[in-house]
Amino acid sequence: MNIAQVRQHTPACSELIHFNNAGASLSPLPVHQRLLQHLTLEQRIGGYEAAQQEVAAVENFYSAFARLLHCRPAEIAYAESATHAWNAAFHAIALQPGQRILTGQSEYSSNYLAFLQMARLKGLQIDVIPNDEHGRICLDRLAAAISDDVGLIALTHVPSQSGVIHPAAAVGRLARANGILYLLDACQSAGQIELDVDALGCDMLTGTGRKYLRGPRGTGFLYVRSEALPRLQPDRIDFHSARWTAEDQFEFRNDARRFESWECSVAGKIALGVAADYATALGMQNIEQTVSDLASIFRQQLRRLPGIRVHESGPSLSGIVTFSKNSESAESLQRRLRDSSINTSVTRLSGNLLDLPRRGLGDINRASVHYFNTEEEIGRFCQVLQST
Ligand SMILES: Cc1ncc(COP(=O)(O)O)c(C=O)c1O
């Protein structure tokens, strides 16, 4: 990793310390410039005309994500956010009353709300599989919960409220062995961890642009395995996702774009493709190793500080570091860090009613590192942390 170059591509590094990459990372210059370039073209020649002129760049979005996820461009759809992508996939599954959804204790809040809504509307059952002693989904409990009435396994790969990485590929093997659809929320893992959809065994995978992929805000993506497509009927339709074949007939597209809407931010789509290419060019294994090493140094340093509790341990951890300071509320600490030009976030109990109470936690602080962060920044962070 050429740290000097990636920091040069990230001008804010000279102004502040950005440890909020799990919230929204900083876009590198090539991504930012590509976004602006297309917006300027739209202003100069018109939005439809600009899209026509940039067909190749728009198509690159699909091939860039195919390279990143090791799948085919036809298996990729653009979305406005991870939540849009996830809802498009979830609501396309024909779940029947009485069927069960198996999910993990760290499932993302909005996903779980969608389960609750559908449980209420359709009489589905939600089974939350507890975590094991390392804070990861317990595979034995998951295997034991599988039966004929399971309609979906849904997992959040890297939770937003803890630094663990769930064993998504092992879950995928169980799903495949039992012919159950598997929806993987890779919102925090995309751009941070090497993702290979065949190794993961997922049928659908969702993510956002603005986090570890360092794309623009308001962008996201959906992967749908071609073989799963016949089992998935989108709950929204327009003349982009479907063809009007006769006055009283229509057909959905035969690829993942059946989940898209016609209207979208073309600039965002082009720039998100550039962000995926940027990550691929740096090398996903390289990124994964750099982030993991930095987060591990971060946790070691935090554990040495009196009055600080780090909330994750175990063998497989992400770039998300969660902690609390005994003598200071999460919110006040975040504000104080911000006053010293250090960006972090607070993970709130109110948005994590499954996971945080089970771990005996309330609001907690979250510092999330990326490959452009440095050990010096961690040192400075620890100084500020201890300065009251
Ligand atoms: C694990 C996880 N899934 C989904 C989302 C939702 O992403 P978006 O805000 O792009 O819809 C988030 C956002 O924080 C997340 O952390």
Side-chain angles (χ1 to χ4, degrees), residues 22 81-84 108 156 158-160 185 187-188 208 210-211:
S81 69
T83 303
H84 275 257
Y108 185 63
T156 292
V158 169
S160 66
D185 177 337
C187 191
Q188 296 289 358
T208 206
R210 72 182 182 280
K211 297 180 188 288

